[in-house]
Amino acid sequence: MSIKIAIQGVKASFHEEAAFKYFGKDIETIECESFKKTCEMLKHGKADYVVMAIENSIAGSILPNYNLLRDYRFHIIGEVHLNIQQNLLALPGVKLSDIRTVESHPIAIRQCDEFLSDHPDWAIREGMDTAGCAKRIKEEKLTTTAAIASEFAAKIYGLNILEKRIETHKKNATRFLVLSNEVVEQKNANKASLSFQTGNSVGSLASVLQCFAEQHVNLSKIQSMPVVGRRNEYDFYVDVEWKKQADYDAAIRKVLKHTVNFSIMGEYIKNEKV
Protein backbone atom coordinates (compact mmCIF):
# COMPACT_ATOMS: atom_id res chain seq x y z
CA MET A 1 0.00 0.00 0.00
CA SER A 2 1.49 3.36 -1.01
CA ILE A 3 2.03 6.06 1.59
CA LYS A 4 -0.39 9.00 1.66
CA ILE A 5 0.96 12.54 1.45
CA ALA A 6 -1.32 15.51 2.13
CA ILE A 7 -0.56 18.48 -0.13
CA GLN A 8 -2.06 21.93 -0.53
CA GLY A 9 -3.37 22.14 -4.07
CA VAL A 10 -4.26 19.69 -6.81
CA LYS A 11 -2.38 17.25 -9.00
CA ALA A 12 0.63 18.78 -10.79
CA SER A 13 1.00 21.49 -8.15
CA PHE A 14 4.49 22.35 -6.93
CA HIS A 15 3.59 20.61 -3.66
CA GLU A 16 2.99 17.37 -5.54
CA GLU A 17 6.32 17.79 -7.36
CA ALA A 18 8.05 18.31 -4.00
CA ALA A 19 6.36 15.19 -2.60
CA PHE A 20 7.56 13.14 -5.60
CA LYS A 21 11.08 14.52 -5.20
CA TYR A 22 11.25 13.48 -1.54
CA PHE A 23 9.29 10.20 -1.51
CA GLY A 24 9.47 9.03 -5.14
CA LYS A 25 6.54 8.52 -7.54
CA ASP A 26 5.01 5.51 -5.75
CA ILE A 27 2.85 7.58 -3.40
CA GLU A 28 -0.76 8.72 -3.12
CA THR A 29 -1.17 12.48 -2.85
CA ILE A 30 -4.22 13.79 -1.01
CA GLU A 31 -5.39 17.11 -2.48
CA CYS A 32 -6.36 19.75 0.11
CA GLU A 33 -7.73 23.25 -0.47
CA SER A 34 -5.72 24.78 2.39
CA PHE A 35 -2.59 24.20 4.47
CA LYS A 36 -4.79 23.85 7.57
CA LYS A 37 -6.68 21.00 5.87
CA THR A 38 -3.39 19.15 5.22
CA CYS A 39 -2.62 19.41 8.96
CA GLU A 40 -6.08 18.09 9.86
CA MET A 41 -5.56 15.09 7.54
CA LEU A 42 -2.29 14.26 9.29
CA LYS A 43 -3.71 14.88 12.76
CA HIS A 44 -6.60 12.46 12.18
CA GLY A 45 -4.48 9.74 10.55
CA LYS A 46 -5.90 10.20 7.05
CA ALA A 47 -2.41 11.03 5.74
CA ASP A 48 1.00 9.63 6.68
CA TYR A 49 2.88 12.87 6.02
CA VAL A 50 2.38 16.49 4.98
CA VAL A 51 4.59 18.33 2.50
CA MET A 52 4.33 22.05 3.28
CA ALA A 53 6.02 25.06 1.65
CA ILE A 54 7.74 27.26 4.25
CA GLU A 55 9.75 29.81 2.26
CA ASN A 56 10.48 31.05 -1.23
CA SER A 57 13.74 32.67 -2.32
CA ILE A 58 11.80 35.63 -3.79
CA ALA A 59 8.58 35.94 -1.77
CA GLY A 60 10.21 35.08 1.58
CA SER A 61 8.76 33.12 4.50
CA ILE A 62 5.18 31.83 4.37
CA LEU A 63 4.25 33.20 7.79
CA PRO A 64 0.82 31.54 8.30
CA ASN A 65 2.56 28.16 8.03
CA TYR A 66 4.75 28.99 11.02
CA ASN A 67 1.52 29.42 12.98
CA LEU A 68 0.39 25.97 11.84
CA LEU A 69 3.71 24.46 12.94
CA ARG A 70 3.21 26.07 16.34
CA ASP A 71 -0.43 24.98 16.69
CA TYR A 72 -0.14 21.37 15.49
CA ARG A 73 3.33 20.59 16.84
CA PHE A 74 4.12 18.04 14.14
CA HIS A 75 7.68 16.76 13.75
CA ILE A 76 9.82 17.99 10.86
CA ILE A 77 11.53 14.90 9.41
CA GLY A 78 13.00 16.37 6.24
CA GLU A 79 13.10 19.19 3.71
CA VAL A 80 12.93 19.55 -0.06
CA HIS A 81 14.19 22.39 -2.25
CA LEU A 82 12.46 22.79 -5.59
CA ASN A 83 13.45 25.05 -8.48
CA ILE A 84 10.32 26.97 -9.41
CA GLN A 85 9.84 27.65 -13.11
CA GLN A 86 6.68 29.51 -14.03
CA ASN A 87 4.98 29.38 -17.42
CA LEU A 88 1.94 30.99 -19.01
CA LEU A 89 -0.57 28.26 -19.91
CA ALA A 90 -3.75 28.38 -22.01
CA LEU A 91 -6.06 26.09 -23.97
CA PRO A 92 -4.75 24.72 -27.28
CA GLY A 93 -5.41 27.20 -30.08
CA VAL A 94 -5.52 30.24 -27.78
CA LYS A 95 -3.02 32.97 -28.72
CA LEU A 96 -1.31 35.52 -26.50
CA SER A 97 -3.46 38.25 -28.09
CA ASP A 98 -6.63 36.41 -26.92
CA ILE A 99 -5.71 36.65 -23.24
CA ARG A 100 -7.73 39.03 -21.05
CA THR A 101 -7.24 37.47 -17.60
CA VAL A 102 -4.36 35.72 -15.85
CA GLU A 103 -4.93 33.55 -12.78
CA SER A 104 -2.54 31.99 -10.29
CA HIS A 105 -1.50 31.71 -6.66
CA PRO A 106 -0.58 35.15 -5.20
CA ILE A 107 3.07 34.13 -4.66
CA ALA A 108 3.36 32.89 -8.27
CA ILE A 109 1.90 36.19 -9.48
CA ARG A 110 4.49 38.09 -7.41
CA GLN A 111 7.26 35.94 -8.89
CA CYS A 112 6.24 37.04 -12.41
CA ASP A 113 5.61 40.74 -11.80
CA GLU A 114 8.08 41.91 -14.45
CA PHE A 115 6.45 39.82 -17.19
CA LEU A 116 2.95 40.84 -16.10
CA SER A 117 3.88 44.54 -16.06
CA ASP A 118 4.54 44.22 -19.81
CA HIS A 119 0.83 43.37 -20.21
CA PRO A 120 -1.02 46.10 -18.26
CA ASP A 121 -4.35 45.36 -19.97
CA TRP A 122 -4.62 41.90 -18.39
CA ALA A 123 -6.81 41.46 -15.32
CA ILE A 124 -4.90 39.56 -12.62
CA ARG A 125 -6.86 37.18 -10.42
CA GLU A 126 -5.56 35.33 -7.38
CA GLY A 127 -6.38 31.64 -6.99
CA MET A 128 -5.73 29.03 -4.30
CA ASP A 129 -3.18 27.08 -6.31
CA THR A 130 -1.15 27.32 -9.55
CA ALA A 131 -2.22 23.91 -10.87
CA GLY A 132 -5.80 24.51 -9.69
CA CYS A 133 -6.00 27.55 -11.95
CA ALA A 134 -4.72 25.46 -14.87
CA LYS A 135 -7.30 22.77 -14.09
CA ARG A 136 -10.12 25.36 -14.07
CA ILE A 137 -9.15 26.62 -17.54
CA LYS A 138 -9.33 23.05 -18.85
CA GLU A 139 -12.62 22.14 -17.15
CA GLU A 140 -14.45 25.39 -17.92
CA LYS A 141 -12.90 25.78 -21.39
CA LEU A 142 -11.81 29.38 -20.68
CA THR A 143 -10.55 30.82 -23.98
CA THR A 144 -9.51 34.27 -22.74
CA THR A 145 -7.85 33.17 -19.47
CA ALA A 146 -4.28 31.98 -18.91
CA ALA A 147 -2.75 30.42 -15.80
CA ILE A 148 0.73 30.80 -14.35
CA ALA A 149 1.84 27.28 -13.50
CA SER A 150 4.42 24.57 -14.12
CA GLU A 151 5.27 22.61 -17.25
CA PHE A 152 4.01 19.54 -15.36
CA ALA A 153 0.58 21.22 -14.97
CA ALA A 154 0.47 21.95 -18.71
CA LYS A 155 1.12 18.28 -19.43
CA ILE A 156 -1.43 16.95 -16.91
CA TYR A 157 -4.25 19.30 -17.95
CA GLY A 158 -3.55 19.35 -21.70
CA LEU A 159 -2.71 23.04 -21.97
CA ASN A 160 -0.27 24.83 -24.27
CA ILE A 161 2.63 26.90 -22.98
CA LEU A 162 2.26 30.41 -24.44
CA GLU A 163 5.39 31.75 -22.74
CA LYS A 164 8.11 29.77 -20.96
CA ARG A 165 10.09 30.78 -17.86
CA ILE A 166 8.24 33.99 -17.08
CA GLU A 167 9.50 34.24 -13.48
CA THR A 168 11.44 37.47 -12.89
CA HIS A 169 14.37 35.81 -11.14
CA LYS A 170 15.59 32.58 -12.68
CA LYS A 171 17.10 31.41 -9.39
CA ASN A 172 13.66 30.96 -7.88
CA ALA A 173 13.42 28.12 -5.34
CA THR A 174 10.92 27.07 -2.70
CA ARG A 175 11.78 25.14 0.45
CA PHE A 176 9.25 22.58 1.65
CA LEU A 177 9.11 20.79 5.00
CA VAL A 178 8.10 17.15 5.43
CA LEU A 179 5.93 16.74 8.52
CA SER A 180 5.05 13.64 10.53
CA ASN A 181 2.88 12.89 13.56
CA GLU A 182 5.64 10.64 14.89
CA VAL A 183 9.28 11.33 15.62
CA VAL A 184 11.35 9.67 12.88
CA GLU A 185 14.95 9.36 13.98
CA GLN A 186 17.31 10.44 11.23
CA LYS A 187 20.77 8.90 11.30
CA ASN A 188 23.42 11.42 10.27
CA ALA A 189 21.07 14.37 10.92
CA ASN A 190 22.95 17.63 10.34
CA LYS A 191 20.16 20.20 10.48
CA ALA A 192 17.50 21.11 13.04
CA SER A 193 14.52 23.44 13.31
CA LEU A 194 14.10 24.92 16.80
CA SER A 195 11.66 27.30 18.47
CA PHE A 196 12.00 29.27 21.71
CA GLN A 197 11.26 32.50 23.53
CA THR A 198 13.74 34.76 25.29
CA GLY A 199 13.49 37.35 28.03
CA ASN A 200 12.92 41.01 27.18
CA SER A 201 16.26 42.21 28.56
CA VAL A 202 18.93 43.84 26.41
CA GLY A 203 20.98 41.26 24.52
CA SER A 204 18.81 38.25 25.43
CA LEU A 205 18.55 37.03 21.82
CA ALA A 206 22.23 37.81 21.18
CA SER A 207 23.14 35.53 24.12
CA VAL A 208 21.28 32.63 22.48
CA LEU A 209 22.89 33.21 19.09
CA GLN A 210 26.32 33.40 20.74
CA CYS A 211 25.78 29.87 22.13
CA PHE A 212 25.53 28.54 18.56
CA ALA A 213 28.53 30.56 17.36
CA GLU A 214 30.74 29.32 20.21
CA GLN A 215 30.02 25.70 19.24
CA HIS A 216 30.56 26.28 15.47
CA VAL A 217 26.87 25.63 14.76
CA ASN A 218 25.70 27.62 11.74
CA LEU A 219 22.44 29.58 11.97
CA SER A 220 20.92 29.29 8.47
CA LYS A 221 17.56 30.99 9.18
CA ILE A 222 15.83 33.00 11.90
CA GLN A 223 12.18 34.01 11.92
CA SER A 224 10.21 35.79 14.66
CA MET A 225 6.45 35.62 15.20
CA PRO A 226 4.42 37.52 17.84
CA VAL A 227 3.17 35.41 20.75
CA VAL A 228 -0.62 35.57 20.47
CA GLY A 229 -2.17 37.81 23.11
CA ARG A 230 1.14 38.84 24.69
CA ARG A 231 2.44 42.26 23.71
CA ASN A 232 6.16 42.58 22.88
CA GLU A 233 6.75 38.84 23.21
CA TYR A 234 7.96 36.74 20.31
CA ASP A 235 8.50 33.13 19.31
CA PHE A 236 11.80 32.69 17.51
CA TYR A 237 12.13 29.95 14.90
CA VAL A 238 15.68 29.07 13.87
CA ASP A 239 17.28 26.53 11.56
CA VAL A 240 20.78 25.40 12.50
CA GLU A 241 23.34 23.20 10.75
CA TRP A 242 26.41 21.42 12.11
CA LYS A 243 29.28 19.20 11.10
CA LYS A 244 29.89 17.52 14.48
CA GLN A 245 27.02 16.12 16.52
CA ALA A 246 28.87 16.92 19.76
CA ASP A 247 28.99 20.64 18.82
CA TYR A 248 25.21 20.70 18.27
CA ASP A 249 24.51 18.83 21.52
CA ALA A 250 26.71 21.27 23.48
CA ALA A 251 25.02 24.28 21.84
CA ILE A 252 21.57 22.99 22.80
CA ARG A 253 22.65 22.52 26.43
CA LYS A 254 23.86 26.14 26.52
CA VAL A 255 20.77 27.53 24.75
CA LEU A 256 18.43 25.88 27.27
CA LYS A 257 19.85 28.16 29.97
CA HIS A 258 18.90 31.31 28.04
CA THR A 259 15.41 30.41 26.70
CA VAL A 260 11.88 29.45 27.71
CA ASN A 261 9.40 27.22 25.89
CA PHE A 262 12.32 25.69 23.98
CA SER A 263 11.31 23.04 21.44
CA ILE A 264 13.18 20.88 18.92
CA MET A 265 10.72 20.83 16.03
CA GLY A 266 12.81 18.37 14.06
CA GLU A 267 16.30 17.02 13.42
CA TYR A 268 16.87 15.88 9.86
CA ILE A 269 19.29 15.65 6.93
CA LYS A 270 19.92 18.91 5.09
CA ASN A 271 18.71 18.82 1.50
CA GLU A 272 21.64 19.95 -0.65
CA LYS A 273 20.04 19.53 -4.08
CA VAL A 274 17.89 22.24 -5.60
Side-chain angles (χ1 to χ4, degrees), residues 87-124:
N87 306 277
L88 193 71
L89 315 183
L91 286 170
V94 171
K95 300 188 295 294
L96 202 61
S97 56
D98 299 326
I99 300 303
R100 299 289 176 267
T101 305
V102 173
E103 290 188 5
S104 197
H105 187 278
I107 288 179
I109 290 167
R110 214 181 314 163
Q111 289 166 356
C112 304
D113 55 358
E114 206 170 275
F115 173 81
L116 293 172
S117 68
D118 291 338
H119 301 275
D121 297 340
W122 290 349
I124 309 299

Side-chain angles (χ1 to χ4, degrees), residues 56 72 80 113 160 163 170 177 187 229 237 240 253 257:
N56 175 265
Y72 284 90
V80 188
D113 55 358
N160 277 357
E163 294 279 347
K170 302 310 172 192
L177 299 177
K187 286 180 181 174
Y237 296 89
V240 296
R253 285 195 295 273
K257 296 172 186 171

Side-chain angles (χ1 to χ4, degrees), residues 63 67 70 197 223-237:
L63 298 180
N67 289 330
R70 179 199 63 208
Q197 294 163 19
Q223 181 71 52
S224 64
M225 296 285 287
V227 177
V228 178
R230 284 153 71 180
R231 195 166 160 229
N232 296 331
E233 291 191 35
Y234 293 87
D235 284 313
F236 292 100
Y237 296 89

Side-chain angles (χ1 to χ4, degrees), residues 10-68:
V10 300
K11 295 216 169 295
S13 65
F14 289 112
H15 275 85
E16 187 176 60
E17 283 194 58
F20 287 152
K21 189 173 178 182
Y22 188 86
F23 291 101
K25 291 285 175 82
D26 190 23
I27 59 173
E28 181 187 340
T29 49
I30 301 171
E31 301 174 11
C32 301
E33 68 271 16
S34 67
F35 286 113
K36 186 174 174 62
K37 186 70 186 290
T38 66
C39 292
E40 285 293 305
M41 298 298 276
L42 181 56
K43 179 183 175 182
H44 295 293
K46 294 178 181 175
D48 300 305
Y49 302 97
V50 165
V51 170
M52 176 188 283
I54 198 67
E55 63 180 311
N56 175 265
S57 57
I58 297 167
S61 295
I62 303 169
L63 298 180
N65 289 355
Y66 277 97
N67 289 330
L68 292 174

Side-chain angles (χ1 to χ4, degrees), residues 194-214:
L194 315 169
S195 70
F196 55 81
Q197 294 163 19
T198 66
N200 239 341
S201 55
V202 173
S204 56
L205 179 59
S207 299
V208 176
L209 303 186
Q210 187 62 29
C211 295
F212 293 122
E214 286 170 358

Side-chain angles (χ1 to χ4, degrees), residues 212-223:
F212 293 122
E214 286 170 358
Q215 295 302 141
H216 311 291
V217 172
N218 182 41
L219 188 77
S220 57
K221 180 175 173 66
I222 184 166
Q223 181 71 52

